[in-house]
Each structure stands twice: as structure tokens, then as C-alpha cells.
Amino acid sequence: MSGSDGSPTIPVAVLGATGIVGQRLVRMLDGHARFHLAEVVGSERRAGRHYAGATPWAIGGDPPPGARALRLLAPGEPLRSPLVLSALPAAVAKETELALARSGHVVCTNASAHRMRADTPLIVPEVNGEAISGIAAQPWSRAGGALVANPNCVVVGLAMALAPIHGAFGIESTTVVTLQALSGAGLSGLNAVEVAGNVIPGIRGEEEKIGPELNKILEADIEVSVAVNRVPVLDGHTAHVFCKLRTPTTHLDAARVLRDFRPRLGPGSLPTLPARPLVVRTELDRPQPRLDANAEGGMAVTVGRIRPASPPHDLALVVGVHNGIRGAAGACLANAELCLAHRGAGSLIVRNKDVGDR
């Protein structure tokens, strides 16, 4: 298949393709300039069926035409696509992703299983895209394989918002209180009786991820205190953030640093990413998930309520991120684009020139 400029596109397999994140990946690959969806992998019980008939589509509209007739592969079936985007649960991802990387596939994963491995780059491209060079030292690199992770959906927003502040002023410690959307729990998550008109003050396994992942991305040693909450919002995570800074500043200077932030990536080098990945709002009541989660097609992070904070903190702000797009599927896809920009397309296309839809 060819992209809009006539150059061949790279075949992609999506693991966990029937879940919410997998569905978003399938949709975002439709019409992509450099990739095309060639293989979809689901559970054993759905394997062998056509994607459209086997998928409980939950993100609005319908599956893209190019995905509907693809046959769902079973876990462990050989993949021909050189690039694999994984939306697997962590327990399943742990061995599956390593096996694929060892066999020469470039694996970009949304799962948490390998995020804190010393040899696995944990990347938000606008913040630490240079970390992609670490794939050269991975034990499967000689076979052509790679394993790259994107962080937790909340951490994507935090890293985007705090990287400019940390770079300009240094962050000594931060306290984070999250309000996390229902879609973060997946298709088999909470039921209506649990969440309607309710707030659930805890999400299993969530709080302990945030500090270590944030520090790995920022290459920092920030003391992070976290409280997470599940709230009755469909899409869009919100985080109240309070920072103690190493160099005192005003909230106006902090807002200026955020407004002036530009990623070091070349224009258009990663087509999924917007030119302005941070949106700064000045209204008292923004960001809001309903109004801001879809900024720049869901790929921008919105920051608002930038203000002084009482001791021991210096600065307070609110961060909003679309958990399913910028925080998950879009983050994974952007990392795949980063891998392509780093390695070049030639070897992938030549090695897999005959891969097509199944």
C-alpha cells in the first residue's frame, strides 16, 4: 500500500485490537501517511472471525472500512508485520512483547509491563524523544527488534505539562490529585451502579506508577505524592498539580514558559503530533474534559488554573489529557512514528514488502 505521497506504507499489527485502546489504534491508523493496518490480534475466543463482527465497537461510529474484513488472529499466531502496536493487558504483554521483539519486530507498547525496564525507553516524544536511541543497546536489536513504551495515561499529561517547568525552574516535589475517566477502566471496567453519581477514591495499581514513570521520562528525582480517583466522566483525565520549585518564580512566568514550549522535533516528522502540543487556558474553570479533552484531535494536553500555591508548594495548575488518545493510543502511535524517524523506513519496507491484509 502507498501513502498520500506515493511512497509505500509500513504494515502494522495491533495487539488487543478489540479493546478500547486497540479500537482507537485501529481508527488512528486509517488513512495514516506512513502506516497501514495489516493484522489484528484478539483473544482466543474471538480469533478467526472478521474484525467488525467480533469487536464490541465502543468509541463511536463504525470500524474503518479497511479493518472490517481483517481476520482476527489468535494470541501467539505468527505476525508478518514488522511494526507491532500493543494494547495488551500488562500480564499478557510481559512475555508476548519480549518474544516479538526477539523475533525482529519493532514493538511499541501501551502496556505497563516493561515501562520501568532499564533497557526500555519510556517516551513522550516532545519531552524525551532522544531516548529512542536506547533501542540500539537492546539485546534484540541485532535481530532488528525494538521495544519502546509510552507511559501511563495520566503521566503523559503530567510529563508534557511539567517538563517545561522543570527545565526552567526545577521541581523539587509535587503533589498530584487525579480525576480519571471511566474509559480508563476499559470495556470490562466498572459498571453503572458503581460509578453513577459517585467518586471512587482509588484505582488498583495506579498510584505507584505515576512517580517512577514521571521521573524516568524527565530524568529527574522529584518527590511525587499522588491520590487517584475514578469519576463519572467518559473520556478525559484531569489532574490537580501542586509543585515546590527549586528556583522561585511567579505563576505568570510559569504560564509563559508553558505557552512558549515547542518540541524539538522537526515540523511534520511525527504526523500524529500537533505543532502546539500544549494548550494554556486562562479561564477560571478550564480545562474541562467535555470542552478540552479533544483539543488538537485529542493529542494536545491542556493546562489551566496556573496560580500561586500555599507553602510548602509554590505553584498550582490543572492538567487535562484525553486518556484514550493522547494518553494511550495516540501516544503509542507517536512512538511508532518516532521509531520510523529514527531508523528509517527502508529496511522495514524491504524486509516485509509482501505483507498485506489477511
Side-chain angles (χ1 to χ4, degrees), residues 57-228:
W57 196 255
I59 59 171
D62 297 302
R68 292 174 189 169
L70 289 178
R71 183 178 67 85
L72 268 171
L73 306 177
E77 267 192 77
L79 299 178
R80 296 180 292 167
S81 299
L83 178 61
V84 177
L85 306 183
S86 174
L88 292 173
V92 181
K94 189 171 184 179
E95 295 303 326
T96 300
E97 293 171 354
L98 289 179
L100 286 166
R102 289 177 184 133
S103 64
H105 296 273
V106 174
V107 181
C108 295
T109 176
N110 182 69
S112 63
H114 303 295
R115 289 175 186 160
M116 297 307 296
R117 278 180 63 113
D119 63 359
T120 301
L122 182 65
I123 296 180
V124 177
E126 301 98 324
V127 175
N128 68 331
E130 65 280 357
I132 193 64
S133 63
I135 62 176
Q138 291 180 325
W140 36 79
S141 64
R142 287 190 178 183
L147 178 59
V148 178
N150 59 267
N152 171 274
C153 45
V154 168
V155 174
V156 172
L158 293 176
M160 287 285 296
L162 296 184
I165 294 171
H166 183 61
F169 312 111
I171 300 174
E172 184 176 311
S173 63
T174 184
T175 299
V176 179
V177 180
T178 74
L179 309 171
Q180 296 184 215
L182 299 175
S183 56
L187 287 173
S188 59
L190 306 173
N191 63 51
V193 173
E194 292 177 286
V195 299
N198 198 18
V199 173
I200 300 174
I203 302 170
R204 187 180 300 277
E206 191 79 355
E207 291 176 348
E208 53 265 39
K209 298 174 186 174
I210 293 173
E213 291 184 19
L214 180 63
N215 277 310
K216 182 173 180 178
I217 294 163
L218 298 184
E219 296 184 339
D221 189 21
I222 300 168
E223 183 181 332
V224 182
S225 300
V226 184
V228 302

Side-chain angles (χ1 to χ4, degrees), residues 276-356:
R276 297 286 297 272
L278 275 178
V279 177
V280 177
R281 307 293 312 200
T282 59
E283 302 92 333
L284 179 64
D285 60 351
R286 302 282 286 274
Q288 297 178 27
R290 185 179 296 175
L291 301 179
D292 299 302
N294 286 305
E296 297 287 351
M299 286 299 292
V301 172
T302 304
V303 184
R305 297 205 63 204
I306 305 166
R307 62 201 191 277
S310 301
H313 301 105
D314 302 302
L315 183 71
L317 58 152
V318 178
V319 179
V321 61
H322 194 302
N323 53 293
I325 300 177
R326 179 72 245 216
C332 186
L333 182 55
N335 279 351
E337 294 170 355
L338 183 66
C339 288
L340 177 62
H342 176 71
R343 279 194 165 185
S347 62
L348 290 177
I349 293 170
V350 170
R351 177 175 174 267
N352 294 275
K353 63 182 179 179
D354 296 324
V355 178

